[in-house]
């Protein structure tokens, strides 16, 4: 008979924790295909893309002013502007998600039992994954995450300080879920 383990998470997640969780969720499809794939901070990626697009825009303006604005130069400027707007919109949406997570507050409880893993917050809905629907568990710098096998983008994330407790429970109860 398997026992139930609960971990009370009484500390509010930090901004860096939620930034990591949002980055992980943004890379969900890629990580699901390749669980050991190198983690990228999506916020840094967007910043770098924005800087590259800004430099490209300035370069195209210089080319346009020095050798005349051809139809190709104008189309390229429009494409760069659209790409930059998309980067700004995605970056803003992800930053807003981090702010929403920070504003939620409240304690949460992670429960592991014979049927699966569940996280519930006092002012939010409970999310549960059955063990046969957990693709893998992976520890990142700030979070340890349970990934759903289905392409639902469901990731149960808790602070990485609980890694040993979680792995001990899984070992003690013969829960065979890959770990990375």
């Amino acid at each position: 008979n398997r026992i139930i383990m609960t971990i009370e998470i009484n500390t509010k997640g930090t901004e860096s924790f939620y930034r990591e969780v949002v980055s992980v969720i943004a890379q969900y499809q890629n990580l699901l295909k390749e669980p050991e794939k190198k983690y990228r901070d999506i916020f840094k990626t967007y910043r770098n893309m924005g800087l590259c697009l800004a430099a490209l825009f300035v370069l195209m303006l210089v080319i346009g002013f020095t050798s005349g604005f051809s139809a190709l130069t104008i189309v390229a400027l429009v494409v760069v502007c659209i790409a930059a707007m998309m980067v700004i919109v995605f970056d803003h949406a992800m930053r807003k998600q981090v702010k929403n997570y920070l504003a939620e507050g409240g304690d949460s409880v992670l429960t592991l039992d014979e049927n699966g893993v569940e996280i519930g917050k006092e002012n939010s809905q409970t999310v549960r994954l059955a063990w046969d629907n957990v693709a893998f568990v992976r520890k990142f710098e700030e979070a340890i995450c349970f990934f759903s096998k289905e392409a639902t983008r469901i990731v149960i994330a808790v602070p990485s300080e609980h890694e040993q407790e979680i792995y001990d429970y899984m070992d003690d109860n013969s829960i065979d879920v890959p770990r990375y």
Side-chain angles (χ1 to χ4, degrees), residues 140-180:
F140 296 91
E141 189 173 318
E142 303 248 355
I144 182 164
C145 301
F146 296 84
F147 283 72
S148 170
K149 283 182 183 176
E150 300 166 3
T152 56
R153 291 189 181 259
I154 293 176
V155 174
I156 294 177
V158 295
S160 59
E161 66 200 44
H162 299 290
E163 174 188 21
Q164 197 57 51
E165 293 171 84
I166 290 167
Y167 288 160
D168 287 347
Y169 176 86
M170 292 172 67
D171 290 340
D172 293 345
N173 292 282
S174 303
I175 296 169
D176 188 26
V177 172
R179 303 173 196 179
Y180 299 100

Side-chain angles (χ1 to χ4, degrees), residues 1 16 28 30 33 49 54-55 63 65 73 79 84 92 100 102-103 106 114 118 124 166 171-172 175 178:
N1 235 354
S16 59
Y28 178 87
N30 291 334
K33 289 177 192 167
M49 286 172 61
I63 290 170
F65 283 121
T73 307
V79 169
H92 176 73
N100 289 344
L102 283 167
E114 63 187 27
E118 165 183 298
S124 184
I166 290 167
D171 290 340
D172 293 345
I175 296 169

Side-chain angles (χ1 to χ4, degrees), residues 22-144:
V22 168
S23 287
V24 166
I25 293 169
Q27 298 169 64
Y28 178 87
Q29 292 294 82
N30 291 334
L31 291 170
L32 197 58
K33 289 177 192 167
E34 297 177 59
E36 293 182 83
K37 187 172 185 151
K38 187 174 190 265
Y39 162 79
R40 292 176 313 155
D41 181 339
I42 204 80
F43 294 95
K44 286 181 183 175
T45 301
Y46 283 149
R47 184 193 66 223
N48 292 340
M49 286 172 61
L51 291 172
C52 288
L53 288 168
L56 188 58
F57 183 79
V58 169
L59 178 66
M60 293 169 126
L61 281 178
V62 169
I63 290 170
F65 283 121
T66 57
S67 51
F69 284 97
S70 68
L72 181 61
T73 307
I74 293 170
V75 168
L77 281 168
V78 169
V79 169
V80 168
C81 286
I82 291 170
M85 288 173 36
M86 290 175 61
V87 167
I88 290 167
V89 167
F90 288 136
D91 182 69
H92 176 73
M94 296 188 58
R95 288 180 191 283
K96 186 176 179 182
Q97 186 62 48
V98 170
K99 286 180 183 174
N100 289 344
Y101 284 148
L102 283 167
E104 278 180 3
D107 298 342
S108 57
V109 176
L110 180 75
T111 304
L112 298 111
D113 62 25
E114 63 187 27
N115 299 315
V117 58
E118 165 183 298
I119 193 160
K121 290 188 179 216
E122 62 185 40
N123 298 325
S124 184
Q125 70 183 40
T126 298
V127 177
R128 183 168 186 77
L129 289 174
W131 288 120
D132 62 356
N133 191 26
V134 176
F136 60 90
V137 180
R138 179 166 169 186
K139 182 194 176 284
F140 296 91
E141 189 173 318
E142 303 248 355
I144 182 164

